[in-house]
Amino acid sequence: MLTITIKKEVSYMGCTDIYTIEHGEKSIPITHKVSGFMHKKVKPETKRLSHTDFSPIYDAFNDLDFTKAWKESGDFVGCDGWTLKCTISNEVSEISEIAVKLWCPEKHQSKPETTKLLEACEKVFSLFEEN
């Protein structure tokens, strides 16, 4: 079973957004949970997509090379920023888990794989944005 987890953390704001995507037979549930000391009362929200509607999201994540994104990230760390961690696991294939965690990732032509990762994540984030 395919599972994609995206964790977006802004520690200085006490906020962690966790998006979990699990493969379902009839639909694909995508859950957004907000946690952190300033967001204890926020309830998780789940949206269900048809396999057809989920296909572009799946394709975007399936096309990623986490090793390339990690190599583009450099080795700087700071206090004011955020982290993005994306994990893809598939119990059936027994590859178990593929993950990348990046400090302050950005879209830039010099970072094509990081840009692809952010664009894939934005497809999920946009499902939960308020109008």
Side-chain angles (χ1 to χ4, degrees):
M1 175 164 82
L2 175 73
T3 303
I4 301 171
T5 305
I6 305 165
K7 186 176 180 181
K8 184 177 169 184
E9 185 173 17
V10 183
S11 58
Y12 67 90
M13 289 182 56
C15 183
T16 302
D17 290 282
I18 301 170
Y19 300 84
T20 307
I21 304 166
E22 297 179 306
H23 188 269
E25 286 186 36
K26 295 181 181 180
S27 65
I28 309 295
I30 302 176
T31 303
H32 176 219
K33 178 182 176 186
V34 180
S35 64
F37 65 89
M38 295 179 66
H39 304 278
K40 291 182 179 181
K41 295 184 180 184
V42 179
K43 295 187 180 192
E45 180 181 1
T46 300
K47 301 212 174 183
R48 294 186 173 275
L49 298 181
S50 69
H51 287 270
T52 302
D53 290 339
F54 179 67
S55 183
I57 295 171
Y58 174 81
D59 291 343
F61 281 95
N62 194 44
D63 190 37
L64 292 172
D65 184 333
F66 284 173
T67 302
K68 287 181 181 177
W70 177 77
K71 286 179 181 179
E72 293 171 354
S73 71
D75 55 356
F76 67 93
V77 179
C79 296
D80 292 341
W82 62 289
T83 58
L84 176 72
K85 181 177 181 181
C86 184
T87 306
I88 300 175
S89 59
N90 188 342
E91 295 173 18
V92 178
S93 70
E94 293 299 323
I95 208 163
S96 184
E97 193 173 285
I98 301 169
V100 66
K101 183 176 182 180
L102 304 174
W103 175 258
C104 296
E106 62 180 345
K107 290 183 189 179
H108 192 274
Q109 63 186 17
S110 68
K111 299 178 179 184
E113 207 62 30
T114 302
T115 298
K116 284 177 22 181
L117 172 62
L118 288 169
E119 288 171 350
C121 291
E122 287 169 356
K123 290 178 184 299
V124 177
F125 302 159
S126 69
L127 297 171
F128 296 94
E129 291 176 353
E130 296 179 17
N131 294 331

